[in-house]
Amino acid sequence: MSDNLTDLPGVGPSTAEKLVEAGYIDFMKIATATVGELTDIEGISEKAAAKMIMGARDLCDLGFKSGIDLLKQRSTVWKLSTSSSELDSVLGGGLESQSVTEFAGVFGSGKTQIMHQSCVNLQNPEFLFYDEEAVSKGEVAQPKAVYIDTEGTFRPERIMQMAEHAGIDGQTVLDNTFVARAYNSDMQMLFAEKIEDLIQEGNNIKLVVIDSLTSTFRNEYTGRGKLAERQQKLGRHMATLNKLADLFNCVVLVTNQVSAKPDAFFGMAEQAIGGHIVGHAATFRFFVRKGKGDKRVAKLYDSPHLPDAEAIFRITEKGIQD
């Protein structure tokens, strides 16, 4: 247990044990929980949950920060290369940590290839923030990735192929990539929540991939009658991903499906699934489409500080290339 949970108001040894069993192993996890989430644990009332959350927030010193404090936090942001200099340029240097980046597009547009390439590049010190010598000495833990696969598209053979062409040991990439196959939205959400457990166990998780974000939700919640429930669950899932990105300074990537916009006379003819929930929760949003031959076009259309722009890259046997 990272913190002594019995320091919280109204929490005795038995309640602390229940909290740990439910995954609430430290003050920060409780401080960022909702009353509803804690009352799902047997024996915890709404009043007790509210007291625990407020007590944890006091102990975590959660509150307003100055702009200078946030600037210091932003100074720890690092970038992971996509292997395309043009795409990296559009992103201001690469895929950004402390952020959720969404790649939406039709089947075969190359979204999953970007996800695979990112897992490979995480092990390439040329593209990264870490010191290879410090890793080898054990001063810094080897960075690892989590890949939550909802459509059965993760291919270790493709990882090996990309790694070989990048001059990286493919076995190392696979050893440092945790893969989970999610068959429904509940499994998908659970796996995302379990990532924090992996980190607490000493794994230096620096990349989280969800491929794809909305397919399970889309399959299970059909019709307008279930739309509100679907969006509520999706919102909780996105909150978990944003929390991981912020608290652990990791890159979070999600792929997304698209649907047609029948009323679109101008602009994009497709829209990403998930509506405003995903739109507001994702930091950077891309549409990826096929070009001629092996070319793909990625259009950045939503970012807090970068202008809309397009990047052309190629998908070859070697992986993502200019």
Side-chain angles (χ1 to χ4, degrees):
M1 195 185 301
S2 302
D3 299 314
N4 188 356
L5 299 187
T6 54
D7 289 343
L8 295 173
V11 176
S14 63
T15 304
E17 193 174 327
K18 288 178 183 177
L19 286 166
V20 171
E21 285 175 3
Y24 295 94
I25 58 175
D26 56 34
F27 296 144
M28 183 59 75
K29 189 92 187 238
I30 295 169
T32 53
T34 65
V35 170
E37 286 170 342
L38 292 189
T39 53
D40 284 342
I41 302 169
E42 187 182 351
I44 296 180
S45 66
E46 285 190 14
K47 189 176 179 181
K51 278 187 178 179
M52 287 177 208
I53 291 169
M54 291 307 296
R57 287 176 181 174
D58 289 341
L59 290 167
C60 290
D61 193 27
L62 289 177
F64 291 105
K65 294 180 180 178
S66 71
I68 292 295
D69 290 335
L70 289 175
L71 186 62
K72 286 177 182 175
Q73 182 182 334
R74 290 286 300 166
S75 70
T76 64
V77 166
W78 56 276
K79 305 283 181 82
L80 176 64
S81 175
T82 62
S83 288
S84 162
S85 58
E86 200 169 322
L87 187 51
D88 285 350
S89 178
V90 166
L91 280 160
L95 299 161
E96 191 173 285
S97 69
Q98 300 179 24
S99 302
V100 175
T101 303
E102 174 202 40
F103 289 91
V106 299
F107 174 81
S109 56
K111 308 182 298 294
T112 294
Q113 298 300 309
I114 296 171
M115 303 301 108
H116 280 63
Q117 188 72 64
S118 299
C119 291
V120 172
N121 290 355
L122 189 70
Q123 303 306 321
N124 190 338
E126 289 181 18
F127 293 156
L128 261 180
F129 60 102
Y130 69 87
D131 181 347
E132 189 177 18
E133 188 177 342
V135 170
S136 65
K137 288 179 179 177
E139 296 168 1
V140 178
Q142 185 76 34
K144 296 185 179 183
V146 170
Y147 198 115
I148 299 175
D149 179 9
T150 70
E151 297 182 316
T153 51
F154 181 81
R155 291 292 180 271
E157 303 92 332
R158 182 60 170 146
I159 293 284
M160 296 288 286
Q161 188 180 40
M162 286 177 164
E164 181 185 344
H165 287 290
I168 305 168
D169 179 30
Q171 293 284 353
T172 299
V173 178
L174 292 174
D175 280 344
N176 291 310
T177 304
F178 295 98
V179 184
R181 177 75 164 94
Y183 293 97
N184 56 55
S185 61
D186 286 333
M187 287 179 72
Q188 181 177 333
M189 293 174 73
L190 179 64
F191 287 140
E193 289 160 10
K194 289 290 184 186
I195 292 171
E196 198 165 331
D197 293 345
L198 290 175
I199 294 169
Q200 299 291 351
E201 289 164 10
N203 295 291
N204 186 24
I205 305 298
K206 285 298 172 187
L207 172 65
V208 175
V209 173
I210 313 287
D211 184 20
S212 97
L213 175 69
T214 56
S215 62
T216 56
F217 294 91
R218 195 180 188 186
N219 291 338
E220 292 165 42
Y221 297 92
T222 56
R224 284 198 167 274
K226 293 189 175 181
L227 182 60
E229 187 182 355
R230 183 190 84 175
Q231 292 301 91
Q232 191 177 35
K233 280 186 73 175
L234 192 53
R236 288 206 307 272
H237 187 42
M238 291 300 292
T240 298
L241 297 177
N242 270 297
K243 193 157 67 170
L244 285 168
D246 274 343
L247 294 182
F248 303 107
N249 195 20
C250 58
V251 172
V252 176
L253 304 180
V254 301
T255 67
N256 200 355
Q257 300 177 342
V258 296
S259 63
K261 286 173 69 178
D263 58 340
F265 293 102
F266 302 100
M268 291 177 288
E270 287 107 14
Q271 60 187 355
I273 302 295
H276 296 300
I277 294 290
V278 175
H280 290 303
T283 318
F284 303 97
R285 306 191 78 190
F286 280 92
F287 267 117
V288 187
R289 68 178 191 270
K290 292 181 181 180
K292 289 184 179 178
D294 59 8
K295 289 184 180 177
R296 300 292 189 275
V297 181
K299 178 179 175 59
L300 176 67
Y301 70 98
D302 189 21
S303 162
H305 66 287
L306 297 173
D308 291 3
E310 285 190 351
I312 298 173
F313 62 95
R314 294 164 57 229
I315 297 176
T316 70
E317 184 182 302
K318 297 179 179 180
I320 306 295
Q321 294 185 299
D322 284 317

